[in-house]
Structure formats: structure tokens, C-alpha cells
Amino acid sequence: MKKYSIGIDIGGTNTQTALVSESGEVLEKKVIKTKDYPNYTDYIDTLCEIINQYKESQKDIIGIGIGAPNANYYSGIIENAPNLIWKEDLYIAKDLQEKVNLKTKVTNDANAATVGEKIYGGAKDLSDFIMITLGTGLGSGFYVNNKLVYGFTGSAGELGHIIIEPNGRTCGCKKKGCLEAYCSASGLVKTYQEISYSVEANLTAADIYSKAKAGNISAAIAFDKFTDKLAVGVSNAILITSPEAVFIFGGLANAEEFVIEPLKEKVNSLLLANFRNKTKILKSSLPESDAAILGAASLVFEL
Amino acid sequence: MKKYSIGIDIGGTNTQTALVSESGEVLEKKVIKTKDYPNYTDYIDTLCEIINQYKESQKDIIGIGIGAPNANYYSGIIENAPNLIWKEDLYIAKDLQEKVNLKTKVTNDANAATVGEKIYGGAKDLSDFIMITLGTGLGSGFYVNNKLVYGFTGSAGELGHIIIEPNGRTCGCKKKGCLEAYCSASGLVKTYQEISYSVEANLTAADIYSKAKAGNISAAIAFDKFTDKLAVGVSNAILITSPEAVFIFGGLANAEEFVIEPLKEKVNSLLLANFRNKTKILKSSLPESDAAILGAASLVFEL
């Protein structure tokens, strides 16, 4: 009998749920508004109702996987996530597991995407790889010896906050010179604004990609600086874990000619000779629309 | 019956060998001059003679562990090591194993020291830790999930060559701004010379430590800059693998008040809030005189 997992992707605005099979079919997707539940207990009750509906499908559901900001794999706790309305520590794994009697695992969004790439994406046959998610911020996950690296604390894989420019740009985390301050959607917008003296409001990374494709020099330079910095972050990571591949996920990964292609060359130039041309740099093969839910669900099928 | 390993530490000048017990007793240490053997085959023959003498001891010898520059764990090959006289690829693991019929493992010096810290040193009970060896260069090894990280290529753990200062000081590897260019014995000397305009010949890191202890301001500033850079490298590594401890090994680790103590504070200031005060920064507890041989021998007892 085919095995299924319930994937739950918790975001500040929406919470998505779905039944996901071992082979990656996404069924019965549902969405609730996270902010409709100022009381966390009501939120959990609603999730339990949804889970019980899934259980009525008579499918062989073996567990629940949750991707959430600031979620810790070891403790099962969401710790003071800035984008969620509940400010206390949320014992979400325990809370759900007790009520619906299904083994429940949680981790943060980037780690969930990384496991998703392993179970459903381009990393199926790889023991050692790195996933980088380029979105509002820069998230990452590391596979070493066929296992996701959680580390001693459960918080490993914060490539977005390594310092690549001492005393550089101030990051959202308050530190200076973090990779994320440059290599994220907002980082790209900021770089473009610095170069072009633009005061356009609500400019997005997608706008800058359109401009670059249309031949706008400032936009092209912004991407060039973006990949200069990203190459430092990626080559530093490669020198530490020597992965077979680095996957780039997120909207910016679609800007292949401005992100993936230049990145390959720049990373190589920053590696030691015995590392060059060994690690593939690839666009993630997770389908973008279902990536978060596939990532969450995949936790259940992880080794 | 107590189990033994034969440890072989291959350096440009000397090759050390010893019988090492599971519990870390170092017996029958021998030293030959590596440069006395311009012909690699003669070198291997001499090592085999020594190994056969060890075998005559009637002890339960279960294998041979070798630490050597540029040695690859997967292939068992020493690849074009700049400090060795033989320039071809050396199939040293295979060559010895065939002649003396003992399972033989090789890895580079820093990885060997890391396994040594795990088997014989302060990391016995740790699954996740980092070892940093401060010598002429900066070497490192990473334990994740109770295993040394070799990565896809077998070359993982090159923290010394992550870039921490874009377009910074030129490193021995020809790249610019590597951690090792600042945080090594030679890097410290160079920093001191830049600050003091010193033209003293043959200045060593130990001399600068003596000066700093005696109140020399330039020497103290050189150490301050040294730990500024080392803190970037160490915090970047912590953000990636989230280890329980970082061990600092080598002569400079003895300069505790100028290296280990300031490093603790500086690393903390560069970490994300949820990483602070979690990873211990410790001096290696491997005895310095036998560290290389213990590290090499420990490969045999590794999981």
C-alpha cells in the first residue's frame, strides 16, 4: 500500500496543508489564514480537524511533517518566530502528535526544502549536497553522509548569516556583512538602488530581472555584484563540506543567465585547485508552487 | 587483548612512526628523514621494514593510519603535495597494504588531528565538533553526526581557505583574503610586521607571543587583529554545522590570553542570537608532542 505524509507549511500569512505520497503526488491541498487564529489553541484545533479529514481518506498515513519559521527539529518547538502572531514557544510537534496520534516532525523552511530536494527533487541519489533558498532572505540546508545536518543545537545550516564582508551592510539580524544582506531579494533591490540612485517604490527582485533582461545596465551590475557575493558564500560552504552539488531554489534561481551561470564561473575561481569543477551548481528541481508543502511532507520519509 | 594501530606521520622533513594503543599509549616511536629517500619505492620499503619490526612485537595490530599532506581518504593517494619530494600521485595506502597485509587508511594532517581529538582527546563524547589546527597554515576538520566530514571528493574541511576578506591579503594558495592568510603563524608575523614596520629577520609567532606578554603594543594589536579574523572564520563555521565545541590546536593555542579568551567573546558577537553561548571554544587536549602520530593512528579506531 502506498505511504502518505501530511505536509504542513506554516507561514505568517497562510498555512498550507496537503496529503503527499512517497512519490511526491500532492493531494487535497487546503489553505487556512494563519492570522485568523490569534489564539494558538484554536489554530491547533483547526489543524487537527483538517488532519482528521485526511485520516478519513483511508490512506496509509505514516506521519506529519511541518515546515515553519524558527522551528527546531530536536525540540519540536517553534521558538519566537518574528513573522508569527504567537509570541510564546510553541510545542507544535507534541501538541499535534498527542491529539491526532501521528508521529510529527518539524523543522525550519530551508531545512524542509532541503529534505524535499533529497526526497522529491534533484538530490535523490546524492549523499552530500547543499540547498540554498533565495527568497526574502537566504536560507540553506546541508546534507552530509546522507543526512541533513542539524548540529548540536538543531539550528545548523545558517549560510545566510555567515559574514562575507567585514563591517559590511547591516542585515535584518542586526549583524553586519551577512551573506543574506546582499544575496536575497531585498539585498538585490538594495544593491540596485545604490547603483542607480533609484527611488522607485515597491521595486521587487523580479522587476530588476526584467530590467536586466531589457538591457538596463544598473540592473545587470546589481546582478553582477549579487553573484560576486553569492560566490563567496557558496565557495566557502563548498570548502567546508565538499558537496557533490549545490542547488539554488527560489524565484531568483529562474534568472539563470544572471544568477546560476555567472555563479558557476565565479565559485570555481574562489575554490582551491583540488575543488574546482567538482561540485555542480544547479537550479533546484522542486516545483516552485508545491516546494514548501513537499519539503514539509518529506520530513516523514527522511532517513 | 589490547588492540594497537601503527601511526605514520609523513612530513616534508621527517616521517614519524609509532605503535599506538586504543587508549592512546605511544610506544616504540621511530623517526626517519623523509628526504633521505629520493626514490619513493625505497621509502616504502623502509616503512615496510619498520612495520614488520612492529609486527614482531606480537601485539594485536589491527591496521595502519597515515597522516600526510594532500592525502585523500577515499582514494588513499597523496596528491601532488608541495612539501614532499616525490611529485607523482602516491598510492600509499595500497602500496603498504599489499606489502604488509594490514588495513591502511590515510588522510591529511588536519583531518588526522581531528580524529585524534575524537578518539584520544577532548571530543571523545562529542558527535558534532570542529578542530582547528594553527600552525604554518590553518587546517581544520569537521565532525557531523559522529563522523568526520570527507564530503563528495574526500577533501572537505578546508576552513583555512574560506574567504573572509574580499580582495584581501594574498594567500599561499594564490587566492585573496583566505582565513589562513591572516590566521596562521606566518599570517600573525605578517600582521605584526605591517603594524610595527619591523624588518626583524626570522621572526616567529612564538616571538610575537613573547613580545605581547612583555607589553609590546604592536604585538598585542597583531593578536587582536588575528582574533578578529579568526572569529569570522570560526563563527561562519559554527553557523553552518552548529557544533558542540570548537577545539584550537597548535602552538598558538597556548597563547590563551591572546587567542582563546578573546576569541570566545568575538565569536559570540558574530553569531545569530539562537547560536550564542552554545558552542564551547576550547584548547585541544591532544598532547602537542604526540598529536600528529596519535591523529594518524586514530584513523584505525575511527567509526
Side-chain angles (χ1 to χ4, degrees):
Chain A
M1 197 174 168
K2 205 186 252 186
K3 289 188 167 54
Y4 285 83
S5 158
I6 296 171
I8 303 180
D9 171 52
I10 302 179
T13 310
N14 291 321
T15 296
Q16 279 192 74
T17 65
L19 262 181
V20 181
S21 73
E22 273 173 298
S23 53
E25 295 149 280
V26 178
L27 309 175
E28 301 184 43
K29 225 197 266 199
K30 296 180 206 278
V31 180
I32 61 172
K33 297 258 167 235
T34 313
K35 286 184 179 157
D36 283 355
Y37 303 87
N39 188 329
Y40 168 70
T41 316
D42 295 340
Y43 177 73
I44 289 294
D45 287 343
T46 304
L47 284 182
C48 288
E49 275 170 40
I50 294 171
I51 292 162
N52 286 324
Q53 286 164 22
Y54 287 139
K55 285 171 88 175
E56 282 164 17
S57 70
Q58 304 293 326
K59 291 197 165 62
D60 183 15
I61 300 171
I62 61 167
I64 300 171
I66 303 174
N70 288 35
N72 188 301
Y73 180 79
Y74 293 147
S75 63
I77 299 174
I78 298 174
E79 294 161 338
N80 191 24
N83 299 328
L84 298 182
I85 39 180
W86 316 292
K87 288 304 161 214
E88 68 272 27
D89 280 352
L90 310 172
Y91 290 75
I92 191 152
K94 185 170 146 282
D95 293 340
L96 285 182
Q97 191 158 321
E98 279 175 5
K99 295 205 172 176
V100 298
N101 198 26
L102 279 169
K103 200 176 166 188
T104 303
K105 292 181 175 183
V106 308
T107 194
N108 73 44
D109 323 51
N111 281 345
T114 308
V115 180
E117 194 73 40
K118 170 73 184 172
I119 305 289
Y120 300 120
K124 275 196 188 85
D125 302 319
L126 309 188
S127 297
D128 299 271
F129 70 94
I130 300 173
M131 176 85 157
I132 294 177
T133 63
L134 294 175
T136 316
L138 185 152
S140 71
F142 288 70
Y143 256 76
V144 167
N145 287 324
N146 218 25
K147 282 194 163 177
L148 188 73
V149 179
Y150 288 108
F152 173 62
T153 59
S155 308
E158 287 287 2
L159 190 66
H161 297 281
I162 71 164
I163 287 159
I164 52 123
E165 185 70 57
N167 298 313
R169 195 182 272 179
T170 300
C171 181
C173 75
K174 311 260 169 70
K175 297 197 300 158
K176 285 186 174 187
C178 292
L179 182 62
E180 175 172 295
Y182 301 91
C183 298
S184 56
S186 51
L188 178 69
V189 169
K190 186 153 189 194
T191 302
Y192 172 79
Q193 288 172 327
E194 284 173 1
I195 296 166
S196 64
Y197 303 99
S198 163
V199 289
E200 290 171 74
N202 304 319
L203 203 61
T204 67
D207 296 334
I208 295 169
Y209 181 37
S210 302
K211 285 176 193 284
K213 274 195 295 190
N216 178 303
I217 303 287
S218 296
I221 294 173
F223 271 107
D224 188 49
K225 286 180 182 275
F226 181 93
T227 49
D228 279 350
K229 300 293 191 197
L230 189 55
V232 173
V234 169
S235 62
N236 285 359
I238 290 175
L239 287 163
I240 291 177
T241 67
S242 185
E244 186 165 356
V246 176
F247 294 91
I248 311 287
F249 174 84
L252 280 164
N254 297 324
E256 289 197 59
E257 70 277 42
F258 292 105
V259 175
I260 309 269
E261 290 310 318
L263 187 62
K264 288 180 186 174
E265 212 163 301
K266 291 179 183 184
V267 164
N268 247 337
S269 74
L270 298 175
L271 291 174
L272 289 176
N274 58 332
F275 280 78
R276 280 178 207 145
N277 299 308
K278 301 237 166 114
T279 300
K280 296 182 207 82
I281 298 193
L282 302 166
K283 194 179 148 185
S284 163
S285 65
L286 280 186
E288 219 174 313
S289 60
D290 283 333
I293 208 81
L294 284 168
S298 67
L299 291 175
V300 171
F301 299 118
E302 191 195 8
L303 276 183
Chain B
M1 196 175 168
K2 205 187 252 184
K3 288 187 169 52
Y4 286 83
S5 157
I6 296 171
I8 303 180
D9 172 51
I10 302 179
T13 309
N14 292 321
T15 296
Q16 279 192 75
T17 66
L19 262 182
V20 180
S21 73
E22 274 174 299
S23 53
E25 295 150 281
V26 178
L27 310 175
E28 302 186 41
K29 225 197 271 196
K30 297 180 206 279
V31 181
I32 61 172
K33 296 261 167 231
T34 313
K35 286 183 181 159
D36 284 354
Y37 303 88
N39 189 328
Y40 169 69
T41 315
D42 295 341
Y43 177 74
I44 290 294
D45 287 343
T46 304
L47 285 182
C48 288
E49 275 171 40
I50 295 170
I51 292 163
N52 285 326
Q53 286 165 22
Y54 288 141
K55 285 171 88 175
E56 282 165 17
S57 70
Q58 304 293 327
K59 290 194 165 64
D60 184 15
I61 299 171
I62 61 166
I64 300 171
I66 303 174
N70 286 37
N72 188 301
Y73 179 79
Y74 292 147
S75 64
I77 298 175
I78 298 175
E79 295 160 337
N80 191 24
N83 299 327
L84 297 183
I85 39 178
W86 315 292
K87 286 306 160 211
E88 69 273 26
D89 280 354
L90 310 173
Y91 290 75
I92 191 152
K94 185 170 145 283
D95 293 340
L96 285 182
Q97 192 158 320
E98 280 176 3
K99 295 204 174 179
V100 299
N101 198 26
L102 279 169
K103 201 177 164 187
T104 303
K105 292 181 176 183
V106 308
T107 194
N108 73 44
D109 324 50
N111 281 345
T114 308
V115 180
E117 195 74 41
K118 170 71 184 173
I119 305 288
Y120 300 120
K124 275 198 189 83
D125 303 319
L126 309 188
S127 297
D128 299 271
F129 70 94
I130 300 173
M131 174 86 157
I132 294 177
T133 63
L134 294 175
T136 315
L138 185 153
S140 71
F142 288 70
Y143 257 76
V144 166
N145 287 324
N146 218 24
K147 281 194 164 178
L148 187 73
V149 180
Y150 289 107
F152 173 61
T153 59
S155 309
E158 287 288 0
L159 190 67
H161 298 281
I162 72 164
I163 286 159
I164 52 120
E165 185 72 55
N167 298 313
R169 194 182 273 179
T170 301
C171 181
C173 75
K174 313 261 169 70
K175 298 198 299 159
K176 285 184 173 188
C178 293
L179 181 62
E180 175 173 295
Y182 302 92
C183 299
S184 56
S186 51
L188 178 68
V189 170
K190 186 154 190 195
T191 303
Y192 172 78
Q193 287 173 326
E194 284 172 2
I195 296 166
S196 64
Y197 303 99
S198 162
V199 288
E200 291 172 75
N202 303 319
L203 203 62
T204 67
D207 296 334
I208 297 169
Y209 181 37
S210 301
K211 286 175 192 285
K213 275 194 295 191
N216 178 303
I217 302 289
S218 296
I221 294 173
F223 270 107
D224 188 48
K225 287 182 181 275
F226 181 93
T227 50
D228 278 350
K229 300 293 190 197
L230 189 55
V232 173
V234 169
S235 63
N236 285 359
I238 290 174
L239 287 162
I240 291 177
T241 66
S242 186
E244 185 166 356
V246 175
F247 294 90
I248 311 287
F249 174 83
L252 280 164
N254 296 324
E256 289 196 59
E257 71 276 43
F258 292 106
V259 175
I260 310 269
E261 289 311 317
L263 187 63
K264 288 180 186 173
E265 213 163 299
K266 291 180 183 184
V267 164
N268 246 339
S269 74
L270 297 176
L271 292 174
L272 289 174
N274 58 333
F275 280 78
R276 280 178 207 145
N277 299 310
K278 301 236 165 115
T279 300
K280 296 182 207 84
I281 298 194
L282 303 166
K283 193 179 145 184
S284 162
S285 66
L286 280 187
E288 220 174 313
S289 60
D290 283 332
I293 207 81
L294 284 169
S298 66
L299 290 174
V300 171
F301 299 117
E302 191 195 9
L303 276 182

